[in-house]
Amino acid sequence: MALVWALAGIWVLSPVFGSLTVNGTRPNIVLLLMDDMGWGDLGVFGQPSKETPNLDKMASEGILFPDFYTANPLCSPSRAALLTGRLPIRNGFYTTNAHARNAYTPQEIVGGISDSEILLPELLKKAGYVNKIIGKWHLGHQPKFHPLKRGFDEWFGSPNCHFGPYNDKDIPNIPLYKDWDMVGRYYEDFIINHKTGESNLTQFYLQEALDFISRKRNTQQPFFLYWAIDATHAPVYASKPFLGTSRRGLYGDAVREIDFSIGKILGTLMQTGIANNTFVFFTSDNGAALISAPNQGGSNGPFLCGKQTTFEGGLRVPGIAWWPTHVTAGQISYQLGNVMDLFTTSLSLAGLDPPGDRTIDGLDLSAVLLESKVMDRPIFYYRGNELMAVRLGLYKAHYWTWSNSWEELSQGIDFCPGQNITGVTTHDQVEHSINPLLFHLGRDPGEKYPISVLSAEYQDAVIRISSVVKQHRDTMIPGEPQLNVCDLAVMNWSPPGCEKLGKCLTPPESKPWKCVWPH
């Protein structure tokens, strides 16, 4: 056993694993990352419609993680964290243009994933893996940020969200790529019907996954498949066979198609005989977008608020691990997990060490997966450049609170609809550094009842958490922010491959400006 991590006087034991080979090969790795899918969208977590039979079965055959988190309440930073194993404040996916603001990668953003960051597929590639991304990249759309330059061998998907349609004059429609070149644009070659919600995109993404698995099944090379689809991100979509089939409306239709697709992927792994050598993990990039609910957004179950916030509904996400004959079926693990752990754990399962020249925030969960152990660790809740809250054990302390501004609320923008809690879901940025708001998430998962500052329970918990916060802040070295500068000239005017399709557009003159992030 090796001492691998120390915090506030708590030493954590973790076994040192060598390469976990099966029949002489490294395990395949499949990460299923959903977009804005909420903790409460799965039947196994109590969704009354029970419309996720394949995911529920996946949980019964593997490990369910009720306490799994993302690294940020927004898409781009959480994806950067997953692929680097590092908090967005470290890997540069944040903004310093304003305090505690969420920032991501729309078309006009100039930045993207820094060359100084080392991504999971780059490390796996050196170990002989063949890597494919299917779906949304969202780590920068300029050619220099192309995923095939960052360790992926194949790509079918888009660099940005599927917003639109645009007129291709003021704003270009978003491209979809097949490997190095675009093969069309949303709303032109790949239709999403805003009126009906019909689109075949999930079926395209499913077929790409099945084809990739089938092609790689008999090769000697292990593979890494990153299936990052986006049907549950507004504008929500589903293919015709699934439209109108859910009790939950269009959003439920999208969930049902995703569940069907994951059933197909797991079934193909079984049928091809490679399931026992394939580690699969299912999760989401952030909590459900309640601003889009109920027609275009999901459920965060009992948790407070949703996407964009650092309340539980913004960062707690579903987590399921599946690996037949390696992961004992039917487990529920209360290990505090984070998407950044998928970076470190995937490397460990492949017999690799994480980079030693930088801070890695993700933990190796191999002992959790293979030996049913539980490790003490904190969860840090960041919003932009600010540490908003920290969870340690069952206690969560808020050092800052806010949902979104009064001005936005007056315009109908509400990240906590129907969940106004006085002094908690604040519409001003309120600092609580002297007396943090403290909640016990076992008794109060909805963060409705702050523990009295006068109680012994409060004093004991805050002392322990404060020690963690001090150590974290004392050792924090923020990365260069990548999400500060915008420019219309960098939008998807002429992506690689546009010449072959006759779809190149003329960009405007470059006039960069300081991006404005309202929340």
Side-chain angles (χ1 to χ4, degrees):
M1 303 288 280
L3 291 171
V4 298
W5 188 67
L7 183 60
I10 302 171
W11 287 96
V12 179
L13 290 173
S14 179
V16 178
F17 288 96
S19 176
L20 292 170
T21 60
V22 180
N23 297 325
T25 64
R26 301 173 189 267
N28 306 310
I29 297 167
V30 178
L31 300 184
L32 307 170
L33 183 70
M34 303 302 102
D35 202 335
D36 292 5
M37 197 177 208
W39 191 95
D41 285 332
L42 275 61
V44 72
F45 282 135
Q47 211 294 319
S49 299
K50 301 288 185 182
E51 293 179 343
T52 54
N54 292 295
L55 285 167
D56 299 346
K57 183 172 184 286
M58 180 183 179
S60 72
E61 295 174 349
I63 304 176
L64 184 68
F65 290 88
D67 292 295
F68 200 77
Y69 289 84
T70 183
N72 192 270
L74 199 62
C75 39
S76 296
S78 67
R79 291 161 192 265
L82 187 158
L83 291 178
T84 63
R86 286 155 54 84
L87 285 162
I89 192 74
R90 296 195 209 272
N91 66 39
F93 259 65
Y94 70 103
T95 181
T96 55
N97 287 354
H99 177 250
R101 303 299 172 113
N102 292 316
Y104 67 110
T105 53
Q107 283 202 71
E108 62 269 25
I109 201 76
V110 171
I113 192 68
S114 171
D115 287 341
S116 64
E117 293 298 317
I118 303 174
L119 274 60
L120 176 60
E122 293 175 306
L123 294 166
L124 292 176
K125 192 176 182 68
K126 292 179 180 178
Y129 277 74
V130 178
N131 308 315
K132 178 157 188 165
I133 172 175
I134 299 173
K136 187 166 77 173
W137 169 238
H138 229 204
L139 300 189
H141 57 273
Q142 295 191 68
K144 63 183 177 181
F145 301 123
H146 197 293
L148 269 60
K149 291 185 177 181
R150 303 311 306 265
F152 285 104
D153 300 289
E154 300 180 21
W155 181 26
F156 182 79
S158 173
N160 304 94
C161 284
H162 54 280
F163 296 142
Y166 301 117
N167 60 14
D168 283 342
K169 294 179 181 178
D170 303 302
I171 302 176
N173 277 309
I174 308 293
L176 269 81
Y177 282 79
K178 177 72 172 178
D179 297 331
W180 285 106
D181 295 334
M182 68 174 285
V183 291
R185 295 182 187 268
Y186 284 132
Y187 302 97
E188 297 172 14
D189 312 281
F190 298 91
I191 303 299
I192 302 172
N193 188 314
H194 277 193
K195 184 176 181 179
T196 66
E198 182 178 354
S199 174
N200 291 326
L201 281 167
T202 300
Q203 290 302 306
F204 292 148
Y205 293 148
L206 170 60
Q207 196 57 51
E208 285 285 330
L210 299 181
D211 290 348
F212 179 72
I213 292 169
S214 296
R215 282 190 286 113
K216 300 304 174 187
R217 57 176 290 197
N218 293 322
T219 66
Q220 296 302 309
Q221 286 183 291
F223 64 78
F224 167 46
L225 174 60
Y226 177 47
W227 201 63
I229 67 167
D230 59 4
T232 44
H233 186 299
V236 173
Y237 61 80
S239 63
K240 191 171 183 178
F242 291 89
L243 289 178
T245 64
S246 170
R247 291 168 56 90
R248 303 178 63 195
L250 178 58
Y251 182 86
D253 295 340
V255 171
R256 291 195 71 243
E257 184 167 19
I258 287 172
D259 180 79
F260 168 85
S261 300
I262 290 172
K264 285 288 187 183
I265 290 171
L266 298 183
T268 298
L269 292 172
M270 296 290 289
Q271 292 160 14
T272 54
I274 61 174
N276 292 353
N277 195 31
T278 304
F279 170 69
V280 184
F281 200 95
F282 168 89
T283 189
S284 180
D285 64 350
N286 47 248
L290 300 187
I291 190 174
S292 304
N295 296 327
Q296 296 274 325
S299 167
N300 293 313
F303 304 121
L304 184 62
C305 301
K307 177 181 178 178
Q308 303 274 8
T309 77
T310 50
F311 300 108
E312 288 298 287
L315 280 96
R316 200 185 301 206
V317 290
I320 304 173
W322 185 87
W323 191 4
T325 73
H326 293 271
V327 168
T328 302
Q331 295 184 71
I332 297 176
S333 174
Y334 290 99
Q335 171 67 48
L336 297 187
N338 194 289
V339 295
M340 296 180 293
D341 302 341
L342 299 178
F343 172 89
T344 313
T345 304
S346 294
L347 292 178
S348 177
L349 298 181
L352 301 171
D353 294 321
D357 63 344
R358 64 201 59 212
T359 299
I360 300 296
D361 296 293
L363 299 185
D364 177 7
L365 299 183
S366 297
V368 178
L369 297 169
L370 303 175
E371 300 182 25
S372 304
K373 301 209 173 173
V374 177
M375 300 182 289
D376 290 312
R377 63 92 64 85
I379 295 293
F380 298 107
Y381 302 68
Y382 271 88
R383 184 163 175 168
N385 58 353
E386 184 61 71
L387 177 62
M388 304 286 286
V390 177
R391 176 177 176 180
L392 190 64
L394 287 169
Y395 290 98
K396 179 180 179 181
H398 288 269
Y399 291 84
W400 286 86
T401 55
W402 82 302
S403 53
N404 61 305
S405 68
W406 288 108
E407 180 183 5
E408 285 188 316
L409 188 66
S410 69
Q411 299 168 0
I413 299 172
D414 188 355
F415 297 148
C416 308
Q419 295 182 304
N420 180 41
I421 300 175
T422 302
V424 179
T425 55
T426 57
H427 293 287
D428 297 303
Q429 293 187 7
V430 180
E431 185 173 8
H432 306 277
S433 295
I434 296 177
N435 292 308
L437 288 181
L438 184 71
F439 296 92
H440 187 287
L441 295 178
R443 300 192 301 262
D444 179 23
E447 298 169 279
K448 294 180 176 65
Y449 308 104
I451 297 171
S452 170
V453 297
L454 301 178
S455 66
E457 179 184 20
Y458 180 95
Q459 298 299 325
D460 178 65
V462 168
I463 287 173
R464 289 188 291 111
I465 295 174
S466 295
S467 176
V468 171
V469 171
K470 183 178 186 304
Q471 183 186 50
H472 178 72
R473 286 178 169 157
D474 287 349
T475 57
M476 172 57 67
I477 302 176
E480 185 70 25
Q482 300 297 308
L483 308 180
N484 280 351
V485 181
C486 290
D487 190 344
L488 295 179
V490 305
M491 294 198 291
N492 292 289
W493 301 103
S494 298
C498 66
E499 304 91 348
K500 304 173 188 176
L501 302 175
K503 286 185 173 290
C504 297
L505 303 170
T506 303
E509 179 184 353
S510 177
K511 294 181 179 179
W513 76 89
K514 193 175 179 180
C515 304
V516 176
W517 304 106
H519 43 254

